[in-house]
Amino acid sequence: GDIVEDEYSLVYRSRFCFANAAGGHVSARVRADEADGQALLLYDDEADSWDTARRLTSSDECEAAMRAQEGGTCKQDVCPARAAFHPPLGEDSDQSWEVEELPGDHTRPHSFFLAFGNCDGALNVAFDVVMLNKKYGAWGEQFSCEESGLLELHVSFCVLFLLLCGFHTRSFYALRKAQAVNVVISMFTWALFLQLIGLLCGVIHYAVFASDGFGVPGLRDWGRHMDMFSQAAYISVIIACGYGWNVSQRGMERRAKLALSILVSCYVALYTAMVLVAFEALNESPSQSFQSMWSTPFGVAITVLRALSAIWFLWAVIRSYRSENLTDKKTFYRITAVSFGGWLMALPFVLFLSAFLVPYTRIWFITFCLMLATFVSMFITVCLMLPSRAGRYFDVALPELLGRDDSL
């Protein structure tokens, strides 16, 4: 990248979490022109390091914070950078710099913050920096410690959802052949396949990221949007089933349809804002405290919306259950109350639990739990829509032979 600043400053560029074992590696090629005193600096997440340095208020503090740690002492509660590189000026200033065996403290993972600074004047720097976690091997060294394991997680669930989609496809075509596909079954099919597409996009992005450290950001965002549309469609299926649409009755109340449309529209708008706005803002934020997309205002709003959706669904399904007389339909409402209600409440519950975890385990924990909850809930839904059960649970007419087919 390139940095051009007209006044003295400390400019944040990136953050990377190194595992709690020797093996962290930073290499850089830097070219500095026009201004003397420029430095490439590494700070860690100790209280006297980055969190203090980024709040510089005077030139004396600036000089104290931009010295390398070796031989440096703290001054006015400002401590030196953990490592510093001052590139020479001129046409021949393109030079390499390497820092090995990070972090120095092996008791826990540490986040390191990369910044450029100049206490004497402007910044004019071109650079190429690589940070690696060599402890994780060739397929994991590009990942910061809080992202470690995401590639394997996406691959595992992609395989599971691929099998689930194949399983459901057989059921869907059997129902379609019998002209027994209704709106709820169609919406769920879309939700399931959009979930698979989102996971495939994630697998490709993280596989490329493992080799070059950049991945395919456009495909990553596309995958998140597929996940968003999948969740929106699944919420529509859940609320519709709660009201007994295509289960006990052939439609929903007009007010309920309007409320569902507003709910899904708000969900899509908030999720889009979280992916496109909040995620990029977090990447560019110099904050020392670790944050995920779900800790942003958009993420909090989505979490509240999911909790309200769960309350709405449970109210609707209890009402439908009490007004139903058929045993099979009552069984359907009991199963969906647990499956659908559990999926809707999974997000606020998982985020609550993640608040008690150390920061560098949160992304993996949240991602795993949400993927698992989605898979379990969709697996149960696929089983409810089997040709051998659909005739009992949904308002569809199936030939007797198809209704007895347990092979699927």
Side-chain angles (χ1 to χ4, degrees):
D2 299 281
I3 297 178
V4 179
E5 294 283 337
D6 293 330
E7 58 185 24
Y8 98 81
S9 57
L10 187 68
V11 180
Y12 166 80
R13 292 310 299 169
S14 185
R15 118 186 231 158
F16 193 86
C17 179
F18 292 102
N20 56 330
H25 175 84
V26 176
S27 62
R29 293 190 67 84
V30 185
R31 177 171 178 150
D33 293 325
E34 299 179 8
D36 196 9
Q38 300 179 98
L40 171 60
L41 303 153
L42 274 178
Y43 298 90
D44 66 16
D45 54 9
E46 295 291 346
D48 63 356
S49 188
W50 173 247
D51 206 38
T52 302
R54 72 189 183 94
R55 294 184 172 89
L56 299 177
T57 58
S58 71
S59 57
D60 287 342
E61 291 178 349
C62 180
E63 291 174 1
M66 291 191 188
R67 293 195 305 270
Q69 189 177 34
E70 293 76 17
T73 58
C74 298
K75 182 178 182 180
Q76 298 177 354
D77 297 325
V78 179
C79 294
R82 299 311 186 226
F85 174 60
H86 296 267
L89 297 175
E91 295 296 326
D92 298 326
S93 65
D94 187 1
Q95 295 201 7
S96 298
W97 180 56
E98 292 194 6
V99 181
E100 298 276 3
E101 303 302 319
L102 292 169
D105 171 24
H106 298 163
T107 60
R108 66 172 178 88
H110 282 269
S111 289
F112 275 72
F113 301 83
L114 178 70
F116 284 86
N118 189 356
C119 298
D120 302 323
L123 283 172
N124 190 339
V125 181
F127 63 93
D128 182 18
V129 179
V130 176
M131 292 184 279
L132 302 174
N133 257 321
K134 292 190 172 181
K135 170 191 174 181
Y136 296 142
W139 279 98
E141 64 182 10
Q142 296 281 0
F143 291 92
S144 183
C145 64
E146 70 265 13
E147 296 178 322
S148 176
L150 289 183
L151 173 59
E152 296 85 350
L153 197 61
H154 278 74
V155 170
S156 300
F157 277 97
C158 187
V159 172
L160 289 175
F161 272 95
L162 184 62
L163 294 173
L164 189 60
C165 284
F167 186 53
H168 180 64
T169 298
R170 292 187 61 197
S171 298
F172 182 82
Y173 276 103
L175 293 172
R176 185 178 179 184
K177 186 176 180 180
Q179 298 183 343
V181 174
N182 56 35
V183 175
V184 171
I185 294 174
S186 296
M187 282 196 300
F188 172 74
T189 303
W190 276 106
L192 180 60
F193 277 87
L194 286 172
Q195 187 70 34
L196 176 62
I197 293 172
L199 285 168
L200 283 171
C201 292
V203 168
I204 296 171
H205 164 68
Y206 285 116
V208 176
F209 188 95
S211 63
D212 64 8
F214 292 99
V216 189
L219 193 62
R220 175 202 62 201
D221 292 341
W222 179 256
R224 285 176 174 157
H225 279 87
M226 293 299 99
D227 179 59
M228 171 192 70
F229 288 121
S230 172
Q231 291 185 38
Y234 199 37
I235 289 173
S236 300
V237 169
I238 289 171
I239 300 299
C241 288
Y243 275 91
W245 189 10
N246 289 144
V247 180
S248 300
Q249 54 190 4
R250 293 184 178 274
M252 286 177 62
E253 301 168 5
R254 186 173 181 179
R255 288 183 301 176
K257 285 185 177 180
L258 178 60
L260 179 57
S261 299
I262 294 173
L263 170 67
V264 171
S265 298
C266 291
Y267 195 86
V268 170
L270 289 170
Y271 207 107
T272 301
M274 184 178 69
V275 171
L276 296 182
V277 179
F279 182 75
E280 294 303 323
L282 286 177
N283 281 344
E284 298 172 3
S285 172
S287 173
Q288 175 155 326
S289 60
F290 173 80
Q291 300 180 67
S292 71
M293 292 191 300
W294 299 108
S295 62
T296 65
F298 298 113
V300 172
I302 291 172
T303 305
V304 172
L305 207 59
R306 281 278 288 265
L308 293 175
S309 300
I311 295 171
W312 182 19
F313 163 72
L314 290 173
W315 170 82
V317 80
I318 290 172
R319 190 182 70 162
S320 297
Y321 179 84
R322 288 176 176 175
S323 62
E324 182 59 62
N325 295 317
L326 297 177
T327 303
D328 286 337
K329 306 288 187 179
K330 282 182 171 289
T331 300
F332 175 84
Y333 287 129
R334 285 197 296 268
I335 294 172
T336 54
V338 175
S339 174
F340 292 162
W343 181 80
L344 288 170
M345 286 303 299
L347 178 59
F349 182 68
V350 168
L351 294 181
F352 173 75
L353 291 180
S354 70
F356 298 97
L357 301 177
V358 289
Y360 42 83
T361 63
R362 287 176 190 162
I363 287 183
W364 188 93
F365 176 79
I366 293 171
T367 305
F368 169 76
C369 290
L370 295 182
M371 285 183 176
L372 180 62
T374 301
F375 177 78
V376 171
S377 181
M378 286 190 166
F379 176 79
I380 293 172
T381 308
V382 166
C383 293
L384 293 174
M385 293 180 179
L386 287 172
S388 57
R389 296 183 174 91
R392 301 200 301 267
Y393 297 145
F394 294 94
D395 185 17
V396 294
L398 287 170
E400 184 180 356
L401 180 62
L402 184 59
R404 293 178 179 175
D405 180 12
D406 295 320
S407 61
L408 295 177

